[in-house]
Amino acid sequence: MAISGFAFAYRPHFPLRPSFLYCVRKVRLSSVAAVETFDEPEGFIKENKHDSVTSYGKVVDGECKKPEWKKLRSKDLGIKTLMIAKPTRVVLNGLRKRGYEVYLVGGCVRDLILKRTPKDFDIITSAELKEVTRAFSRCEIVGKRFPICHVHIHDTIVEVSSFSTCGRKFNRDLSYAFGRPIGCDEEDYIRWRNCLQRDFTINGLMFDPYAKLVYDYMGGMEDIRKAKVRTMIPASTSFQEDCARILRAIRIAARLGFRFTRETAHSVKKLSSLVLRLDKGRLLMEMNYMLAFGSAEASVRLLWKFGLLEVLLPVQAAYFVRLGFRRRDERSNMLLSLFSNLDKLLAPDRPCHNTLWVGILAFHKALLDQPRDPLVVATFGLAVHNGGDLLEALNIARRIARPHDVSFHELLEPRNLDSKALTNEVMDLAGSVKHALSQMTDEYFVSQAMAGYPQAPYSDLVFIPLGLYLRVGRIFECVKEGKEKGYVSKQGSRIDYEMLALGSLQEVRHVFARIVFDTVYPLKLNQDHSTE
């Protein structure tokens, strides 16, 4: 078995910079992470006590000043056509050739400006959806309430929305509150009205790749410059209108390294319990966006800081409390280190399947419940990687000469375990991971996780469905049941990201083992040790 992939903390070669039933009975609005008075983070915009900054614009001498709208040349922003994914360009060209207006909208425009890899590309067009379907051979309209088109280009789905359907998507008309911009012609008016319906100003940008212009009607470029996440309308109104925006705000800030404006930050904290209105499928999707696309560590830190970790992941929140972890704590712990090493292997356009991050949560919970010898943990990871061949895993693990990270409470001091004792402990760890996974999907256990902290919100939220539970269990069951017949472990260090996103057992096990190894035996410790 090749173990070259475990010999270093891999950094990707591409540029970087989501019981089995859902049940909620009651919510207390206070939060462990929010017990301290909310301090204004360094870098927040200072405001006069008589004035304020709102989503509608700046208040100057008691009067609301609308943000100036701008047309910016994409060349000046460093946006090049080749930065747009090829399948997206195919759809843009196909609609443009038929005489329709086409634009890129939302987060992809923001990411292009920031020289980041977009998670995906969203297109909006002047064509009706039925006209879009006639333009492409493999295209269907999906969604009944808010329909869009899915255009299939090879193995990629490109989402296309229409100005006509987007106009009916929202039950609010904000144009009266903002007032039509001065010098706004009919095309500008259509674009402006669409931008008003977006969630955050930095997502309210529109890019015409043919005119090579970026349209900014709501001050999105200014907020990008200031690295701020600001809601398009007042934050309290925005989050109550759509509570999923709270989680999107966390995700965007974590992925970009941005801060919230003061108003947005207070509303995220104050209204965090609203996320319990979302159904379990939506919660799983939002959590996957946070944890599977290369910003898991930052997402977990922000969830903790704003009182959402206790609601969404009470078991992990209890771990943070137990460690005395505070809101603005910069130090790390084993869970954050595991996610940090996961992030090094992922990117917005190269995500993992949700089985991987759920498996990491269960694995860490097992170690938290019963700390283990680092050699046991390494052998377990190797056995997962090779499909349950414990003998091979033991032989490789005993050749590890790298020092382990002694800062983690989940790791014991190394002991001289013989092969039988080591095998028994590895199999016991496999049983503990399965038990931890079962606990994480048990409503009663989850509800008791924060019971010792009465100031925390009550939550028995379980959003991991039965099918996902069973798939995660399969990752680890080979360790107890023996080598899987016909299973071939991954050779070399290269990750097949397409298979990883699909949840290939071979890829998920390979990446899991690398993360465990790089967390227990960090490369930096080995480098420091060699220079002494």
Side-chain angles (χ1 to χ4, degrees):
M1 176 178 118
I3 59 169
S4 57
F6 304 130
F8 53 87
Y10 175 86
R11 291 186 181 277
H13 64 275
F14 48 86
L16 294 175
R17 11 247 126 80
S19 93
F20 313 124
L21 300 177
Y22 164 82
C23 179
V24 178
R25 285 184 282 274
K26 60 179 180 176
V27 181
R28 294 198 296 272
L29 297 181
S30 56
S31 160
V32 167
V35 168
E36 304 164 75
T37 303
F38 182 80
D39 296 319
E40 182 180 277
E42 186 178 340
F44 265 126
I45 300 171
K46 296 290 183 181
E47 300 160 10
N48 186 287
K49 66 179 181 179
H50 299 297
D51 295 340
S52 63
V53 176
T54 74
S55 303
Y56 294 91
K58 294 185 179 180
V59 176
V60 180
D61 297 328
E63 295 184 3
C64 183
K65 183 181 179 182
K66 292 181 294 186
E68 295 181 5
W69 68 283
K70 303 172 183 176
K71 295 179 183 179
L72 303 108
R73 294 188 302 177
S74 59
K75 180 181 179 181
D76 295 338
L77 298 173
I79 300 177
K80 300 178 181 179
T81 303
L82 290 178
M83 296 167 69
I84 303 172
K86 187 174 180 180
T88 304
R89 298 202 305 268
V90 170
V91 176
L92 289 168
N93 290 335
L95 292 170
R96 179 72 173 180
K97 286 177 182 178
R98 287 166 174 79
Y100 302 117
E101 294 294 316
V102 284
Y103 303 90
L104 292 177
V105 292
C108 66
V109 182
R110 173 202 72 212
D111 289 343
L112 290 174
I113 292 168
L114 289 168
K115 308 299 183 293
R116 292 174 176 268
T117 306
K119 180 175 66 68
D120 46 35
F121 291 86
D122 291 326
I123 296 173
I124 191 166
T125 178
S126 60
E128 298 286 343
L129 293 184
K130 288 185 178 179
E131 293 172 322
V132 177
T133 61
R134 288 195 289 268
F136 302 97
S137 59
R138 298 176 60 210
C139 177
E140 73 272 0
I141 299 174
V142 299
K144 293 181 179 179
R145 189 179 178 192
F146 305 130
I148 60 172
C149 277
H150 277 180
V151 183
H152 297 261
I153 305 296
H154 304 301
D155 296 326
T156 303
I157 294 177
V158 180
E159 290 190 356
V160 180
S161 57
S162 169
F163 279 116
S164 62
T165 53
C166 284
R168 300 191 297 268
K169 179 176 178 179
F170 302 92
N171 58 10
R172 56 182 167 96
D173 180 8
L174 296 173
S175 58
Y176 71 90
F178 287 87
R180 182 168 177 161
I182 299 172
C184 182
D185 61 23
E186 193 57 35
E187 288 186 355
D188 277 314
Y189 181 68
I190 293 171
R191 288 189 291 260
W192 169 68
R193 280 180 60 89
N194 182 267
C195 289
L196 286 185
Q197 310 292 356
R198 304 285 163 178
D199 47 10
F200 305 102
T201 58
I202 58 176
N203 289 344
L205 301 166
M206 197 172 288
F207 172 38
D208 182 339
Y210 299 97
K212 300 190 182 302
L213 291 174
V214 172
Y215 298 90
D216 176 18
Y217 296 98
M218 298 305 299
M221 284 300 302
E222 179 69 6
D223 284 331
I224 287 176
R225 186 184 69 80
K226 294 178 178 177
K228 295 289 185 179
V229 177
R230 183 193 307 274
T231 53
M232 191 69 77
I233 62 176
S236 60
T237 302
S238 180
F239 294 151
Q240 290 181 74
E241 182 179 270
D242 181 1
C243 56
R245 289 176 183 154
I246 295 172
L247 299 180
R248 286 203 296 273
I250 294 285
R251 181 217 312 169
I252 291 169
R255 187 172 295 173
L256 301 181
F258 280 20
R259 296 186 180 212
F260 298 133
T261 62
R262 182 186 303 183
E263 179 199 13
T264 304
H266 277 290
S267 293
V268 167
K269 186 179 290 292
K270 181 180 178 181
L271 302 175
S272 61
S273 63
L274 292 182
V275 300
L276 292 170
R277 295 178 181 176
L278 299 171
D279 63 63
K280 65 177 183 179
R282 181 60 182 277
L283 283 169
L284 177 61
M285 181 185 76
E286 292 293 344
M287 289 300 295
N288 194 59
Y289 283 146
M290 287 189 229
L291 303 181
F293 288 79
S295 55
E297 182 192 4
S299 295
V300 170
R301 285 184 181 275
L302 283 178
L303 288 172
W304 173 244
K305 177 178 179 178
F306 287 96
L308 282 153
L309 197 66
E310 303 95 300
V311 175
L312 298 168
L313 295 171
V315 174
Q316 284 67 40
Y319 165 67
F320 275 62
V321 176
R322 180 169 152 186
L323 287 184
F325 212 77
R326 300 177 71 81
R327 285 195 302 108
R328 292 190 288 179
D329 210 327
E330 293 299 322
R331 65 195 170 99
S332 191
N333 56 46
M334 190 172 190
L335 180 60
L336 291 175
S337 295
L338 286 164
F339 278 135
S340 174
N341 284 314
L342 171 66
D343 291 339
K344 292 171 185 175
L345 304 178
L346 305 178
D349 63 335
R350 294 186 177 184
C352 68
H353 192 267
N354 54 22
T355 52
L356 181 54
W357 59 262
V358 173
I360 289 173
L361 290 176
F363 166 74
H364 176 260
K365 175 69 170 60
L367 287 181
L368 181 63
D369 292 342
Q370 185 176 345
R372 305 279 179 170
D373 186 302
L375 191 61
V376 171
V377 178
T379 306
F380 173 80
L382 290 164
V384 168
H385 177 272
N386 67 21
D389 190 337
L390 268 176
L391 180 60
E392 182 184 60
L394 261 64
N395 290 335
I396 295 172
R398 288 200 181 280
R399 298 202 296 268
I400 296 174
R402 186 183 295 187
H404 75 282
D405 194 323
V406 298
S407 67
F408 299 140
H409 302 291
E410 296 87 341
L411 299 178
L412 300 173
E413 285 295 317
R415 296 165 292 163
N416 292 320
L417 298 171
D418 60 33
S419 294
K420 183 177 180 180
L422 184 56
T423 299
N424 288 339
E425 289 216 21
V426 170
M427 295 184 70
D428 187 62
L429 175 55
S432 296
V433 173
K434 183 178 180 180
H435 182 63
L437 181 61
S438 179
Q439 288 180 322
M440 286 168 48
T441 53
D442 180 88
E443 293 171 10
Y444 177 75
F445 179 84
V446 170
S447 71
Q448 293 302 300
M450 299 293 289
Y453 313 102
Q455 69 270 44
Y458 172 91
S459 175
D460 58 1
L461 174 63
V462 172
F463 55 79
I464 301 172
L466 175 59
L468 179 54
Y469 165 86
L470 294 174
R471 288 190 68 169
V472 175
R474 194 180 169 202
I475 297 171
F476 306 108
E477 63 188 14
C478 62
V479 179
K480 289 198 71 173
E481 297 182 6
K483 186 172 182 179
E484 293 179 358
K485 186 176 180 180
Y487 181 82
V488 178
S489 56
K490 179 85 174 182
Q491 302 297 307
S493 61
R494 183 179 177 276
I495 297 173
D496 186 330
Y497 283 95
E498 183 177 349
M499 297 305 294
L500 181 64
L502 293 173
S504 159
L505 199 58
Q506 185 189 57
E507 292 298 332
V508 170
R509 283 174 172 171
H510 170 69
V511 175
F512 172 83
R514 289 175 64 162
I515 292 166
V516 169
F517 189 87
D518 287 340
T519 302
V520 177
Y521 299 98
L523 180 62
K524 185 177 184 299
L525 281 182
N526 192 50
Q527 292 172 336
D528 293 345
H529 185 73
S530 64
T531 58
E532 290 177 357

